[in-house]
Every structure is written in structure tokens, then in C-alpha cells.
Amino acid sequence: PSGENDISYLIDAIEQRLWIPIDHYAIINLATVRDVVDAIGGVPVTLPRDIYYKKNKILYAGDQVLNGEQAEWMIRYRKGYTTGDIGRLDMQKVFLKAFAQKVKSLGLVELGGLAQQFYNKIENDMSIGDILALVPAALGIDIDKVEILTVPGDGVMHNTYAIYSVNKEK
């Protein structure tokens, strides 16, 4: 591995196994996700089904604007999907596209301000100047052309753990 920490091992694994070069990384915890969602005024989504995250923590199907706490419910929920974690990944894709669309609607100045506000709450390997330099390019991305893919595989049991096994042929 190229480095001495967990992220270096992960980057090396992705680059070696999937042949995808990793230029930079960012790690964001759920508390910061909640804070960012609240800071941007929520994320509009269309939920295809009800999400019963926990007792009294329910998101109903349809159009709505999720606050930070509700966004966490959406991206963490997996119990009710017949495909478990894959169902959760599919809903995370819905959230990520909606989040990106909302962020794009903020504009250059507000997005730059958010980058500065949350820079120290997100572990990454870029300077704030490097991040701010990318803001105009980020605003130019056509979200409808962005694809979020899941590596083909199947849920299997390994010892006593349910894991996702990558289908190497596919």
C-alpha cells in the first residue's frame, strides 16, 4: 500500500482491483451529513415507498423536502427492502442525485460558503483553496448524465455474516 492509514489501503484496493484511479478522497460522517442537509434548507425527494426507519420515525411515499435527520433515516434504512443493503444503495442513489441537484441550485457564492463552513468537518486530502477552485466545475455538471453504479454481485452468508459477494465475471 502507498500509505500508512486505512484510506490508503482502500484507495490501493480500488485502484488495483477495479482499475479506477483515485485522485482525492473525502470522508463525511452522518452528523455532518445532517448538518449539511439542514444548512442547504433540506433536500427535495420523491420517495417511491414508505420508510419505517424506527417507531415514530416514518417517511411516507411521495414528494417531500427532507431535513437532516430525515435524510439520515432515508440513507440508513434497509430493513424493509427485500434486497436489504442493495435496496438501501438504490435509495442512497436517489438521495445523492437529489442532493446534488439541490446543491447545484445554490449558486457559486453560497456553495463556496458551504465548502468553507464544512471544510474542517470532512476528512479529505485537499486544501480549501483546491476545493473552492473546483466549485465552478461542480456547478457545471449535468446531474441527469451522472450514473451511480453498483458492482454486480449477490448477497451471501459467510460464516455468520451476510455479505455482498462481487460477481467477478460480470
Side-chain angles (χ1 to χ4, degrees), residues 45-51 59-64 74 81 87 90-92 94-95:
V45 296
T46 301
L47 293 178
R49 58 172 295 177
D50 294 345
I51 293 176
L59 300 172
Y60 295 102
D63 294 339
Q64 57 204 284
M74 180 183 175
Y81 301 123
D90 290 341
M91 287 305 290
Q92 288 173 351
V94 168
F95 175 79

Side-chain angles (χ1 to χ4, degrees), residues 114-156:
L114 283 168
Q116 290 177 334
Q117 178 183 350
F118 288 101
Y119 176 75
N120 290 323
K121 293 184 178 186
I122 299 172
E123 181 183 333
N124 68 87
D125 64 344
M126 297 177 70
S127 72
I128 187 64
D130 291 338
I131 292 171
L132 292 173
L134 291 174
V135 170
L139 290 173
I141 294 172
D142 182 351
I143 301 303
D144 292 329
K145 292 183 179 177
V146 173
E147 291 184 74
I148 303 171
L149 306 172
T150 302
V151 176
D154 299 292
V156 297

